[in-house]
Amino acid sequence: MIKGLRAAVGRAVLGAAALCGAAGAAGAQSTADTMGAIRSRGAVLCGVAGTTAGFSLPDSQGAMRGLDADGCRIVAAAILGDANKVRFINTTATNRFTALQSGEVDMLVRNTTWTLGREAALGLEFASINFYDGTGFMVKKASGVTSVRGLDGATVCVQPGSTTELSLTDYFRVHRMRFTPLVIENLEELRAAFIAGRCDAFTTDASSLAAFRYTQGPNADQYLLLPEIISKEPLGTMVRKGDWKFFDIVRWAHFAQLTAEELGIDSENIGSFRNSPLPEVQRFMGVTGDLGKSLGVAPDWAVQIVKQVGNFGEMWDRNITPLGVQRGINNLWTKGGLQYAPPMR
């Protein structure tokens, strides 16, 4: 009887120790202070691709431009009050997650697809979706191919370490088609291989294909985007798990842009909303409530985002519309799209 009691007590002690260890690990994870680090250095370290027009690509003056680049700027505007206080760090499809895990970057905005496997296994979390996309295919018009089903036996250019690679394999297997992959990590080299005719088709996110075609200038008409989209690719912003204050501000910076667009607030007219009698607008402007305090930022954090970077529609028109990509499912929910922000209250 005493022996059994001792065993039970021993098991209880071990169980308590295990629980304390787990709690300690969780506590250690949650003690990260990315916002504090950002304020100390005076800049957001943001991982981008740096090679994709419309998303992240330096302009002629060397300034990073694009939807993803602006996704970094809205966080800097919210935390530091200055959208220009961002250090852009180029990452690849294979090193992007390591860069975020190691702390080389504070956040990752790099045409990265939200998947269960990535969120469950990497110690990282998706804070928002800035582009609803899907895997597409591009061919040369001269090939005569007008559908993915015409690529049986083709050589296909694809990047390793991407969801595209898996989607490609799954699609061809399901449709009992054969293909030979030409796998190249460097995106510029992959595009060059396609142009040189080393592969019959080039596959990646449809948005990236549209961006590539756009950069070809007068030669753009030589390339055809096939009509099929073979996967769901919600592209989003990633942060490290456990630092929930930073997670909150990254997520709500995106929602603030959506809310502003829904309310008709943009970078040009935002000053006129200061004296609006609408409670939702007053909270957005930081005139009433303590939303900024709850997030650990200034009362006018949302105002700074819109004033300096614009609402989501402005950001889209500046970066994506020139590519010839229709907004479609990336429209606000009020216009039949998937972009939907919870209420700011």
Side-chain angles (χ1 to χ4, degrees):
M1 187 75 175
I2 294 176
K3 183 178 179 180
L5 179 59
R6 286 176 177 169
V9 171
R11 286 194 297 269
V13 170
L14 288 173
L19 287 173
C20 288
Q29 189 179 40
S30 66
T31 57
D33 184 12
T34 305
M35 288 176 64
I38 288 170
R39 289 188 170 115
S40 294
R41 79 170 76 94
V44 174
L45 304 181
C46 198
V48 295
T51 58
T52 306
F55 290 87
S56 60
L57 185 71
D59 63 15
S60 59
Q61 305 301 313
M64 194 67 74
R65 302 297 180 192
L67 193 76
D68 289 347
D70 283 345
C72 305
R73 291 187 174 99
I74 63 175
V75 175
I79 296 175
L80 300 172
D82 188 342
N84 293 317
K85 291 185 176 180
V86 179
R87 295 180 196 167
F88 294 102
I89 298 173
N90 289 2
T91 61
T92 67
T94 53
N95 73 12
R96 53 185 164 173
F97 302 126
T98 303
L100 182 56
Q101 291 164 335
S102 67
E104 181 182 350
V105 298
D106 299 317
M107 55 189 291
L108 186 68
V109 198
R110 195 204 171 281
N111 305 90
T112 300
T113 302
W114 187 348
T115 69
L116 185 155
R118 287 174 173 175
E119 194 164 78
L122 298 177
L124 307 175
E125 193 88 7
F126 282 85
S128 63
I129 298 173
N130 69 345
F131 197 103
Y132 289 91
D133 207 350
T135 297
F137 292 82
M138 178 180 285
V139 297
K140 293 180 178 178
K141 283 185 178 179
S143 70
V145 174
T146 58
S147 167
V148 178
R149 300 303 290 275
L151 292 176
D152 190 16
T155 298
V156 182
C157 281
V158 61
Q159 273 190 299
S162 64
T163 54
T164 299
E165 192 175 18
L166 178 60
S167 298
L168 171 66
T169 302
D170 287 350
Y171 182 88
F172 275 71
R173 180 184 295 120
V174 168
H175 291 89
R176 298 182 179 180
M177 296 164 57
R178 296 172 297 105
F179 78 97
T180 300
L182 179 59
V183 180
I184 301 175
E185 179 180 353
N186 184 280
L187 185 58
E188 292 300 328
E189 292 179 12
L190 190 68
R191 291 166 175 166
F194 172 64
I195 292 174
R198 293 176 58 193
C199 53
D200 304 301
F202 174 24
T203 183
T204 186
D205 293 337
S207 60
S208 183
L209 293 174
F212 163 70
R213 185 174 62 181
Y214 171 78
T215 61
Q216 299 308 297
N219 294 323
D221 287 341
Q222 296 180 17
Y223 305 102
L224 175 68
L225 269 169
L226 299 181
E228 295 93 342
I229 299 295
I230 67 168
S231 70
K232 294 186 294 184
E233 306 294 334
L235 309 180
T237 302
M238 295 188 81
V239 298
R240 289 179 289 276
K241 281 187 178 178
D243 190 348
W244 301 117
K245 292 299 290 185
F246 185 59
F247 171 88
D248 286 345
I249 195 62
V250 172
R251 165 172 280 185
W252 282 95
H254 173 68
F255 286 156
Q257 284 193 302
L258 297 180
T259 300
E261 184 179 5
E262 188 175 334
L263 293 172
I265 302 173
D266 60 37
S267 60
E268 297 294 327
N269 67 18
I270 190 166
S272 65
F273 283 83
R274 178 73 184 177
N275 298 316
S276 171
L278 298 176
E280 186 174 9
V281 174
Q282 291 178 352
R283 288 191 294 269
F284 183 91
M285 300 295 290
V287 175
T288 61
D290 56 0
L291 297 181
K293 182 179 179 181
S294 298
L295 289 170
V297 292
D300 67 342
W301 64 280
V303 173
Q304 294 305 320
I305 288 173
V306 176
K307 183 184 291 185
Q308 298 183 45
V309 186
N311 64 33
F312 190 75
E314 289 180 279
M315 199 165 76
W316 180 280
D317 289 340
R318 179 169 62 245
N319 298 304
I320 305 300
T321 297
L323 303 180
V325 176
Q326 299 297 312
R327 192 161 171 189
I329 59 174
N330 284 287
N331 234 315
L332 293 179
W333 67 282
T334 53
K335 297 181 180 179
L338 298 177
Q339 291 290 359
Y340 181 105
M344 293 177 64
R345 61 171 182 258

